[in-house]
Amino acid sequence: MAPSPPTPTGGVQIEFFGPARLAVGQKTAVLPYDVAGSLAAVVGALAARYPALVGTAIAAGGRGLVEGCIFNLNGRDFVPHLDTQLQPGDTVLLITAAGGG
Amino acid sequence: MALCGYAGRVLRVDLSSGQAWAEAVDSEVLRLTIGGVGLGTYLLATYCPPGVDPLAPEAPLLFVSSPLVGTAVTTTAKYAVLAKSPLTGYIGDSLSSSHLALELKRTGYDAVVITGACREWSYLVVTDDPLRPVALHRAGHLAGLGTWQTEKAVRQELADRGLAGARTAVIGPAGEHQVLYATISNDGRHAGRCGGGAVMGSKRLKALALRGRGQVQVADPLRLREANARLIERSTGPATAKYRQLGTPANVLVFDRLGILPTRNFQASTFVDAERVSGEELLRVHHAQTVGCASCTVGCEHLYKTLGSGPEVTSRLEYESLFALGPLLGVGDANAVIRLARQCDELGIDTISAGGTIAWAMECVQRGLLSGDLPGLREPLGFGVVDVLPAALDALAHRRPGLGDLLAEGSRRGAARLGGGSEAWAMHVKGLELPGYEPRGLQTLALGFAVSPRGACHNRSAAYEHDFSGQVDRFAAELGRGRLAADAEDQAAVLDSLIVCKFIRRCFDDLYADCAALYTYVTGWETTGADLRLAGERISALKKRFNLRQGWSRGEDTLPPRILVERLSDGPGAGEGLTRAELDVMIAGYYAARGWTADGLIPASKLRELSLDDGPLALAALPPAAPHAPPAPGLPDKP
């Protein structure tokens, strides 16, 4: 695994995978903590910054993720609840939670 | 009254005598077992004597259809192959898809059950022609051919005989040499796991060709069309976006980041070259074409081409092949993985078991137990050594003396033969090599692997979905995981019996209720979601009952020693582990959730609840296996 770049102090790093990465055309993004203090806030901030994510990973209206997408916090825990509070320096993975193959 | 969705009969073929005949199937059996893997498990139990050598003539090989095949319902062009697995000694069920499944249905049989053995290499032709339903043709001239060449040759020969449009299931050299994880291939796809190709090879059956013109009768075509329209709409939406856009190789980067990408024979769970063999990189650099199975609106199959030196090769590549021929072997070269996958497909080898067995051997070399030398090569087998791998695959597919023959046995038998403690890093369950999911980082799935009737398998137990859900701690082992694993198995059993592709499982509002509606519209048999859920549990019990008759014992429900002894060394889960005691707690929870005894046996009360104690599915109702004539000297073509 390639080491993740350090998250700027005070920010929340987003890592995109699968269809989300294709939609935004980049691997990572950093959101200021003041607009990304919770997963719900991350959803809203991402929808505003990357409209292509709406319908791909974010549900229409920006109220949550589409079926099959989920957040993972710091590569460890999956977090289904959008009211989850984040800490500065956290890394949020936006992934498609489907196996197969 | 004519059946809808079913033919109500199976075709029995005894290759030893050259005889074939149809047998009726009780409609109650069809209703209780659905079709596909469910019906196949019942038929396998019926025709497979307890204790039989899976490679003996009397061991049956089944090709099984299902009620939804041949209807317009999306993703249902699938069939099941069943046999007693030569790799595990237990149930071997495998699915494949596309045009062959449609031809099987059109022949007018719910299953083709093949026993006996040909005296010389032959291929079997089954049609719906009442005057010539079955024919056997000599196939000595096809021996040694790869799967693609065999399919092409048989189809051309049949076209020349006036049977254009036939589809074929074939074996490659690995099946001919009875490599224990040889595949059966059709339409460029593979019934990959459990060694069905070895069983076919033991019968000296190079190919099965099918051609029919029958139409499927549907009880309620209007409502089926409406339900299918909704399903098709959702199957082209976000729920399947990953499969359409990137295919299953999308898993590589996610699994690497989560620390669940098995690397170097499960010695690590992240891979330094993951980006180089990722779905994203394959799409950007190597993508050649995206295609789909017959009757499918998802279109998940991505074909990739090699670049650079050497002749260009194009291959289908799914995550499991990518993991098993890439990170598991320490290979981070996409060109190499594409070539190796193509070689496995041509030789007719299950990529997961091939990779798992070679990875075991690489670790044996690493530890000084095995030289790993192959004739004519300067370097021995070793992690990340790409150049030796084509020769290793060729050697195992042809069972060349020495390393090739050892690898052809799979990791369990290979370790038993080699000894030296190498069982400790033979990564299998019940003899079936682990797929590309690190169990220590997905502990509900770890339980699913341990108890699965066919051995370590992500397709028969998608318990990882619970680990991915955030509803449970993926690093924790708990009693309650038993219920989750049992439910995951039952759901898979239903999908594998209808048969509906698992890639659209998220396209249903209520999977059981919606599938029950489809089943009702096709068959005309009123079925509820609860009925279907119970059928899933019944089919899981049928699999277990088959294994019990073949000698299953409690100790078989376990995980490789490495998983239970060593802790994860890297990734976000570094330091996490799963002990034998913790696994046993989860297994106890699983048996309890199933209503089985603490020893994993099915009590009479549960058999009764599942309609397995009397009626057509009771053990006493299973007819004795048909007597077999000795192989006939030279099998004539039937007129």
Side-chain angles (χ1 to χ4, degrees), chain B residues 468-489:
Chain B
F468 284 172
S469 71
Q471 303 295 335
V472 300
D473 179 353
R474 66 186 177 104
F475 296 106
E478 302 159 327
L479 192 71
R481 304 300 172 92
R483 176 78 268 159
L484 301 179
D487 287 347
E489 278 187 337

Short mmCIF file of all heavy atoms in Angstrom, two decimals, chain B residues 468-489:
data_model
loop_
_atom_site.label_atom_id
_atom_site.label_comp_id
_atom_site.label_asym_id
_atom_site.label_seq_id
_atom_site.Cartn_x
_atom_site.Cartn_y
_atom_site.Cartn_z
N PHE B 468 -18.55 -5.04 5.94
CA PHE B 468 -18.47 -3.76 5.23
C PHE B 468 -19.60 -2.81 5.63
O PHE B 468 -19.62 -1.67 5.19
CB PHE B 468 -18.59 -3.98 3.71
CG PHE B 468 -17.34 -4.52 3.06
CD1 PHE B 468 -17.35 -4.92 1.73
CD2 PHE B 468 -16.15 -4.63 3.75
CE1 PHE B 468 -16.22 -5.42 1.10
CE2 PHE B 468 -15.01 -5.13 3.14
CZ PHE B 468 -15.04 -5.52 1.82
N SER B 469 -20.54 -3.27 6.41
CA SER B 469 -21.74 -2.48 6.65
C SER B 469 -21.56 -1.42 7.73
O SER B 469 -22.33 -0.47 7.80
CB SER B 469 -22.89 -3.40 7.08
OG SER B 469 -22.65 -3.89 8.40
N GLY B 470 -20.57 -1.61 8.58
CA GLY B 470 -20.44 -0.72 9.73
C GLY B 470 -21.35 -1.10 10.88
O GLY B 470 -21.29 -0.49 11.95
N GLN B 471 -22.16 -2.12 10.70
CA GLN B 471 -23.05 -2.56 11.79
C GLN B 471 -22.31 -3.45 12.78
O GLN B 471 -22.78 -3.67 13.89
CB GLN B 471 -24.25 -3.33 11.21
CG GLN B 471 -25.06 -2.56 10.18
CD GLN B 471 -25.75 -1.33 10.76
OE1 GLN B 471 -26.03 -1.27 11.94
NE2 GLN B 471 -26.02 -0.34 9.92
N VAL B 472 -21.19 -4.00 12.35
CA VAL B 472 -20.38 -4.83 13.25
C VAL B 472 -18.92 -4.37 13.16
O VAL B 472 -18.54 -3.71 12.20
CB VAL B 472 -20.46 -6.34 12.87
CG1 VAL B 472 -21.89 -6.84 12.95
CG2 VAL B 472 -19.88 -6.59 11.47
N ASP B 473 -18.16 -4.73 14.17
CA ASP B 473 -16.72 -4.46 14.17
C ASP B 473 -16.05 -5.56 13.35
O ASP B 473 -16.08 -6.73 13.73
CB ASP B 473 -16.20 -4.46 15.61
CG ASP B 473 -14.69 -4.22 15.69
OD1 ASP B 473 -14.02 -4.19 14.63
OD2 ASP B 473 -14.19 -4.08 16.82
N ARG B 474 -15.44 -5.19 12.23
CA ARG B 474 -14.91 -6.21 11.33
C ARG B 474 -13.72 -6.96 11.92
O ARG B 474 -13.32 -7.99 11.40
CB ARG B 474 -14.55 -5.60 9.98
CG ARG B 474 -13.40 -4.59 9.97
CD ARG B 474 -13.26 -3.96 8.59
NE ARG B 474 -12.25 -2.95 8.51
CZ ARG B 474 -11.05 -3.12 7.94
NH1 ARG B 474 -10.72 -4.30 7.43
NH2 ARG B 474 -10.18 -2.13 7.89
N PHE B 475 -13.13 -6.43 12.99
CA PHE B 475 -12.00 -7.10 13.62
C PHE B 475 -12.40 -7.92 14.84
O PHE B 475 -11.54 -8.44 15.54
CB PHE B 475 -10.94 -6.07 14.04
CG PHE B 475 -10.33 -5.35 12.87
CD1 PHE B 475 -10.65 -4.03 12.61
CD2 PHE B 475 -9.43 -5.98 12.04
CE1 PHE B 475 -10.08 -3.35 11.53
CE2 PHE B 475 -8.86 -5.32 10.96
CZ PHE B 475 -9.19 -4.00 10.70
N ALA B 476 -13.68 -8.04 15.11
CA ALA B 476 -14.12 -8.72 16.32
C ALA B 476 -14.85 -10.02 15.99
O ALA B 476 -15.58 -10.10 15.01
CB ALA B 476 -15.04 -7.80 17.14
N ALA B 477 -14.63 -11.04 16.82
CA ALA B 477 -15.34 -12.31 16.70
C ALA B 477 -16.39 -12.39 17.80
O ALA B 477 -16.06 -12.24 18.98
CB ALA B 477 -14.35 -13.46 16.82
N GLU B 478 -17.63 -12.62 17.40
CA GLU B 478 -18.72 -12.63 18.37
C GLU B 478 -19.69 -13.76 18.04
O GLU B 478 -19.83 -14.16 16.87
CB GLU B 478 -19.49 -11.30 18.31
CG GLU B 478 -18.64 -10.08 18.57
CD GLU B 478 -19.27 -8.80 18.03
OE1 GLU B 478 -19.95 -8.85 16.99
OE2 GLU B 478 -19.05 -7.75 18.67
N LEU B 479 -20.37 -14.21 19.07
CA LEU B 479 -21.35 -15.29 18.90
C LEU B 479 -22.40 -14.94 17.85
O LEU B 479 -22.82 -15.78 17.05
CB LEU B 479 -22.04 -15.56 20.25
CG LEU B 479 -22.89 -16.82 20.37
CD1 LEU B 479 -22.00 -18.06 20.40
CD2 LEU B 479 -23.75 -16.76 21.64
N GLY B 480 -22.81 -13.68 17.84
CA GLY B 480 -23.90 -13.25 16.96
C GLY B 480 -23.56 -13.29 15.48
O GLY B 480 -24.45 -13.17 14.63
N ARG B 481 -22.28 -13.44 15.16
CA ARG B 481 -21.92 -13.53 13.75
C ARG B 481 -22.49 -14.79 13.10
O ARG B 481 -22.59 -14.89 11.88
CB ARG B 481 -20.40 -13.50 13.57
CG ARG B 481 -19.72 -12.30 14.18
CD ARG B 481 -20.22 -10.99 13.57
NE ARG B 481 -19.69 -9.85 14.30
CZ ARG B 481 -18.58 -9.21 13.98
NH1 ARG B 481 -17.89 -9.60 12.93
NH2 ARG B 481 -18.17 -8.18 14.71
N GLY B 482 -22.81 -15.78 13.94
CA GLY B 482 -23.37 -17.02 13.40
C GLY B 482 -24.65 -16.78 12.62
O GLY B 482 -24.85 -17.32 11.53
N ARG B 483 -25.53 -15.96 13.19
CA ARG B 483 -26.79 -15.65 12.52
C ARG B 483 -26.52 -14.94 11.18
O ARG B 483 -27.13 -15.25 10.16
CB ARG B 483 -27.64 -14.77 13.43
CG ARG B 483 -28.94 -14.28 12.85
CD ARG B 483 -30.02 -15.36 12.86
NE ARG B 483 -30.06 -16.14 11.66
CZ ARG B 483 -30.59 -17.34 11.55
NH1 ARG B 483 -31.12 -17.94 12.58
NH2 ARG B 483 -30.60 -18.00 10.42
N LEU B 484 -25.59 -14.01 11.21
CA LEU B 484 -25.28 -13.24 10.01
C LEU B 484 -24.71 -14.15 8.91
O LEU B 484 -25.08 -14.04 7.74
CB LEU B 484 -24.28 -12.12 10.34
CG LEU B 484 -24.73 -11.11 11.40
CD1 LEU B 484 -23.63 -10.07 11.63
CD2 LEU B 484 -26.02 -10.42 10.98
N ALA B 485 -23.80 -15.04 9.31
CA ALA B 485 -23.19 -15.94 8.31
C ALA B 485 -24.23 -16.90 7.74
O ALA B 485 -24.23 -17.19 6.54
CB ALA B 485 -22.03 -16.71 8.94
N ALA B 486 -25.10 -17.40 8.59
CA ALA B 486 -26.14 -18.32 8.12
C ALA B 486 -27.07 -17.62 7.14
O ALA B 486 -27.42 -18.16 6.08
CB ALA B 486 -26.93 -18.88 9.31
N ASP B 487 -27.45 -16.40 7.48
CA ASP B 487 -28.34 -15.64 6.58
C ASP B 487 -27.66 -15.38 5.24
O ASP B 487 -28.31 -15.45 4.17
CB ASP B 487 -28.74 -14.31 7.23
CG ASP B 487 -29.74 -14.50 8.36
OD1 ASP B 487 -30.29 -15.61 8.49
OD2 ASP B 487 -29.93 -13.54 9.13
N ALA B 488 -26.38 -15.06 5.29
CA ALA B 488 -25.64 -14.79 4.04
C ALA B 488 -25.59 -16.05 3.17
O ALA B 488 -25.73 -15.98 1.95
CB ALA B 488 -24.23 -14.30 4.36
N GLU B 489 -25.38 -17.19 3.80
CA GLU B 489 -25.36 -18.45 3.04
C GLU B 489 -26.71 -18.74 2.40
O GLU B 489 -26.80 -19.16 1.24
CB GLU B 489 -25.01 -19.62 3.97
CG GLU B 489 -23.53 -19.80 4.23
CD GLU B 489 -23.27 -21.07 5.01
OE1 GLU B 489 -24.18 -21.58 5.71
OE2 GLU B 489 -22.14 -21.58 4.93
#
